[in-house]
Amino acid sequence: MLAERYINDNLTTCLLQQENYKPFPTIEDRNQWNQLPSNLRSYWIGKGVSKLHYSWPTITATQYMDYSRTGNRVDYDTASWNRREVLAHLVIAECIENQGRFLIDIINGIWCICEETFWGIPAHSYMMRRQDSLPDVSDQIIELFSAETAALLAWTHYLLKTKLDEISAMVCERIYLEVNRRILEPYLQRNDFWWMGLNQENMLNNWNSWCNSNCLQAFILLENDPNRREAAVIKAMRSLDQYIYKLHADGGCEEGPKYWMYAGGTIFDCLELLYCASEGIINVYHEPQIRQIGRYIYKAYIDDSYFVNFADSPAQVHIPAELTYRYGRRIGDARLSELGAKVQRMKREEATCLEFSPMFRLLPALFNYAEVEQYSGESPYIRDAWLDGIHLMVAREQEDSPNGLFLAAKGGHNGESHNHNDIGHFIVYCNGSPMIIDPGLLTYTSKTFFSERYTLWAMQSGYHNLPIINGTQQQDGRQFRAKDVDYRLENEAASLSMNIAGAYPDSAGIRSWVRTISFNRELSPYIEINDQFLVNQVTDDIIQILITPYPPKVQGNGSLILQDDHHNRVEIQYDSSRYASSIEKTSLEDKIMRDMWGDALYRIKLTIIKPVAQGECIIRISHLL
């Protein structure tokens, strides 16, 4: 997409030289900084004041070794990320206030980070050639957070160079020295980083665009050698092409909405960097796939901060408001822009405070704040969506409104990036409130991404809204997938049908399991899950699972009631002559889960009563007014 169009003899002339690349005002260019809304100025200066005389946290060798010893990655990661967040906040505060009172703390932050042995995190040290509980300083790998760090320091250099040079020329020289040896040189010299996709890697994910976007920022801002800058741009375009080529044409993010911020969102970051550094010459925003990548996020939108959270995503996601708005403006999509504006209106100044404090998002969030605030576009609440590449169905009761029932369901395969074993899984919301849910993700540990991943309960199909057959859950692997997938949309109904038998191993003894998930928009709308199954031998070991954050109220005669704290209620109906219900309370110990759902989740089990070799299970979910 990029390489075939723009890698040519004209690339050198279309790329701005380092001294001419001025995407945002530096601290000397006071006009735009002084014109920021007063509430935004106060908010960010307040953040800087809260970090005056900051005691930069020590990062020890033993903290790093905790990951290999105990699997804990929280303590080291948090200490590392806190350093970078504080530095970013101090830089913005100084640029807004321009009185010099944050500069010494900024220099201390720069020096602390430059003194670190490794800019990445322990969980990513598997990329090093020598495996040890401590990082190998001679092996400069580029991973997510080493690249993030380089970009942060590059923007600090860009924004504050003259002020820093007045104190000591060594500060900016140190920034270039460290970024060059840790990021710029390895980026140009090595092709073996898996995320680059230059060695026929089978799977690429958010790492590709995320790392490339930060490496590009570092090159475009810091590198004054035009040949090296051009070589980096060429490499980035070739690498990005490999990732985009592997994505589905529907633009869907199989990693979930949380990772859209760092998958589709960082593809957009890359495209913006190339667009601005070439004064608009490198421009692929008209491409259908690029447009669909942006649109995914409102197709996955439920209401408030809730999104369809399949894969490693929490149910509530705080998307970058201004980036979402700007993406919509670039591709001419008023729904996407309105979603970004809606998020900013809900969160106000906090919408500009972003996870990991990426400057290439934070700066436009500041300078476009007033524009986003005043924007009024098309409602982001779409009634129906079908993403045929990742097999995601979305249906709500009415267009342009979060009111009533909402359904999302998926097919796909169990070898997706950030995969959960969840083929045939679905979620149900009512008036924007979660009723039947996907639990989401647990705090990341050493088990999360390697051989022990599926020992974690949140990744298992038994903790998704799926059947357990003969004591057997779904199996991980790309070969375990949905078959005969059929999506249908009519005016009064939307449905997704698939055979999920292939998602289970042979030991489950399933010949066929056709699940049809439908949203019926009749006078009294309802959602129906219809399973038609055939197994190899007669069995009474068939259990349907439904996960909810609320204690179900058993009504008898095949009826359960779920009610949230705002008195939204749904009824779950099933055939009590065939299935018996029971409720299992799952206490939550994990911090991420507790922050999301509270103390517990509830697992509804509908267990078949009489042994069968074939049969059906129909579950109907309706809104109780």
Side-chain angles (χ1 to χ4, degrees), residues 139-352:
D139 187 5
Q140 294 295 340
I141 65 166
I142 303 176
E143 50 79 79
L144 296 178
F145 299 107
S146 60
E148 278 277 356
T149 303
L152 170 61
L153 291 176
W155 282 108
T156 301
H157 183 287
Y158 170 84
L159 293 167
L160 295 177
K161 184 177 188 303
T162 56
K163 300 293 184 180
L164 296 172
D165 283 349
E166 289 173 5
I167 299 171
S168 172
M170 293 299 103
V171 178
C172 287
E173 287 185 21
R174 181 74 185 278
I175 287 175
Y176 180 81
L177 182 141
E178 296 294 345
V179 172
N180 183 54
R181 77 180 182 88
R182 297 175 192 249
I183 302 298
L184 306 187
E185 289 286 350
Y187 188 83
L188 290 177
Q189 293 174 4
R190 294 180 63 172
N191 292 326
D192 60 323
F193 298 131
W194 67 267
W195 54 262
M196 286 182 168
L198 300 175
N199 291 320
Q200 304 300 313
E201 284 80 4
N202 290 326
M203 178 184 287
L204 293 176
N205 61 11
N206 66 84
W207 276 59
N208 177 280
S209 52
W210 195 350
C211 289
N212 274 311
S213 70
N214 284 301
C215 291
L216 265 178
Q217 290 170 58
F219 269 101
I220 290 172
L221 290 166
L222 289 178
E223 185 54 67
N224 59 16
D225 182 335
N227 293 325
R228 278 165 55 96
R229 291 173 89 246
E230 181 179 354
V233 168
I234 288 172
K235 192 165 195 175
M237 288 195 290
R238 285 178 172 154
S239 177
L240 278 167
D241 277 350
Q242 295 303 311
Y243 179 38
I244 294 170
Y245 172 76
K246 290 180 182 293
L247 294 176
H248 298 290
D250 64 12
C253 181
E254 67 181 24
E255 300 172 88
K258 168 73 173 180
Y259 278 93
W260 176 85
M261 297 192 294
Y262 303 109
T266 55
I267 289 175
F268 179 68
D269 287 336
C270 289
L271 298 182
E272 283 288 273
L273 284 161
L274 296 169
Y275 181 89
C276 295
S278 67
E279 296 188 294
I281 293 174
I282 301 176
N283 181 358
V284 293
Y285 288 123
H286 60 283
E287 287 291 331
Q289 187 180 23
I290 299 302
R291 295 177 178 227
Q292 293 292 62
I293 287 169
R295 290 168 180 152
Y296 160 82
I297 198 62
Y298 68 70
K299 293 175 183 177
Y301 183 54
I302 302 172
D303 188 34
D304 193 51
S305 297
Y306 287 108
F307 289 81
V308 177
N309 66 313
F310 302 145
D312 270 355
S313 181
Q316 287 188 300
V317 180
H318 302 291
I319 63 170
E322 189 279 337
L323 178 143
T324 305
Y325 164 82
R326 185 162 30 101
Y327 201 148
R329 299 291 277 174
R330 285 289 190 216
I331 66 172
D333 192 303
R335 288 190 187 274
L336 185 56
S337 290
E338 176 60 24
L339 177 57
K342 177 181 173 64
V343 171
Q344 181 171 300
R345 290 193 294 267
M346 286 192 298
K347 298 181 67 179
R348 303 290 295 165
E349 299 89 355
E350 289 185 6
T352 63

Side-chain angles (χ1 to χ4, degrees), residues 250 299 382-396 399 406-412 482-499 514-521:
D250 64 12
K299 293 175 183 177
I382 61 171
R383 195 186 75 163
D384 295 284
W386 168 240
L387 286 75
D388 61 346
I390 64 170
H391 291 173
L392 172 64
M393 167 193 176
V394 170
R396 68 173 77 240
E399 185 87 357
F406 175 94
L407 167 70
K410 74 178 298 289
K483 297 179 180 178
D484 304 321
V485 178
D486 182 29
Y487 171 75
R488 298 189 181 188
L489 176 62
E490 300 171 356
N491 187 47
E492 295 300 323
S495 67
L496 176 62
S497 178
M498 70 194 86
N499 190 340
V514 177
R515 165 163 283 199
T516 301
I517 304 164
S518 58
F519 195 126
N520 298 280
R521 300 186 187 95

Side-chain angles (χ1 to χ4, degrees), residues 354-375:
L354 305 171
E355 186 177 41
F356 307 125
S357 301
M359 285 290 192
F360 193 58
R361 296 182 178 187
L362 202 162
L363 291 167
L366 296 176
F367 294 116
N368 293 335
Y369 186 86
E371 177 184 332
V372 177
E373 191 172 43
Q374 297 166 10
Y375 182 80

